[in-house]
Every structure is written in structure tokens, then in C-alpha cells.
Amino acid sequence: ENNNQKIVKDYLQNLGLRKEIVAGIMGNIQKESSFNPNAINEKDLNNYPSVGLIQWNLKFYSNAKSVIGDTVKTQISKVTDGYTNNYQKFIELCNQTNNLTSYHAAYLFASKVEICDKCNKTFDTYKSSYQAVRSEYANDFYKRFNDPKDTLYWG
């Protein structure tokens, strides 16, 4: 079991976020870093390195290495505290979306916060791209939140 997943889930749950939103964020983290706060992509698509849980790109977050820290807890707090671009917009969109699913929440996080290749296009473009695995991961986390036998159970 990845204890980092539990740290992220507990942190976001304690903020009062709904299961679907937490699952959407966690689906993105799974895709970006597999919950490894020390993950580094030396050469992202824009030829700049990306670091950490959500792979902050050093072109846009030039001081990320010194700001985000090297633990899961410090990094997940940076996702939610205003350091990460468009997090608040992501939350607003989730709260405005009727019948929000974890699948759609993962897309919204990918398109507004991650702004990854094929993520900032239409939902249909995203769904048919390799990036949709973020939403598949989100659905898996959502199922785990509802399984009383799982360590990520949302009690």
C-alpha cells in the first residue's frame, strides 16, 4: 500500500472536498508521479524539467524546488494553497458541475491545473487521448474510497 496515497486523501478530505474531487486530483497525481514527491522528469514536452507530485514545470514554477518541499504533505498543501495556478478555478468548476463524477473531476484538474498535452482541449478530445488514464485512475480511487476493506476507505 502506498502510504503517500493515504496522506493525500486524508489531507484533501480534511479540507472538506468531496470524494469525486479528491479522486480526480489523486488520479492526476498517479499519472504524474505515482505519488512520489521526489519524481523528476528531466525533460518535459517543453524541454524544461518537471518535479514533484504534480510535476510542476520549472519553466512556469522556476523556484518550485525550493517552494514545494520534498514531502507529500508539503507538496499537497502547495497544490491547494494558491501556489498552484488555477486550483481555485478548478474547485469552482467542480462545484458548478451537476452530477460531477471522479472521471470528470480528473479532466477538470488536468485541464485547469496540470494543463498537460491534450488536457486543455475539449472533454471529448481528452477522453479519446492517452491522458484519459488520469480519469481511469480517478475512478479506481473513487471505488477504493467506497470499499470498507480498503486502506483508503472514506469512513
Side-chain angles (χ1 to χ4, degrees), residues 87 102 127:
Y87 172 77
S102 54
K127 284 191 308 188

Side-chain angles (χ1 to χ4, degrees), residues 87-138:
Y87 172 77
Q88 283 306 110
K89 182 70 175 164
F90 157 72
I91 294 297
E92 289 169 21
L93 286 170
C94 286
N95 289 333
Q96 293 166 3
T97 301
N98 292 327
N99 303 312
L100 180 74
T101 63
S102 54
Y103 191 99
H104 195 74
Y107 161 71
L108 290 174
F109 191 86
S111 68
K112 296 302 173 202
V113 179
E114 290 288 350
I115 313 175
C116 50
D117 177 50
K118 307 249 187 299
C119 297
N120 57 348
K121 308 294 185 212
T122 67
F123 187 46
D124 287 336
T125 300
Y126 165 83
K127 284 191 308 188
S128 63
S129 79
Y130 70 98
Q131 297 289 7
V133 71
R134 299 164 186 274
S135 290
E136 294 166 22
Y137 291 144

Side-chain angles (χ1 to χ4, degrees), residues 29-86:
I29 293 172
Q30 181 65 43
K31 169 74 167 95
E32 292 292 331
S33 68
S34 299
F35 290 84
N36 176 1
N38 299 307
I40 297 174
N41 178 351
E42 293 293 345
K43 194 173 179 183
D44 216 329
L45 291 177
N46 65 359
N47 292 321
Y48 284 81
S50 292
V51 299
L53 284 181
I54 68 165
Q55 292 293 282
W56 284 274
N57 188 275
L58 298 186
K59 178 177 182 180
F60 306 106
Y61 296 95
S62 57
N63 61 346
K65 283 185 179 179
S66 60
V67 172
I68 63 174
D70 60 1
T71 69
V72 172
K73 189 90 171 204
T74 59
Q75 290 189 23
I76 194 59
S77 72
K78 287 299 171 194
V79 170
T80 62
D81 75 357
Y83 178 68
T84 299
N85 290 339
N86 299 321

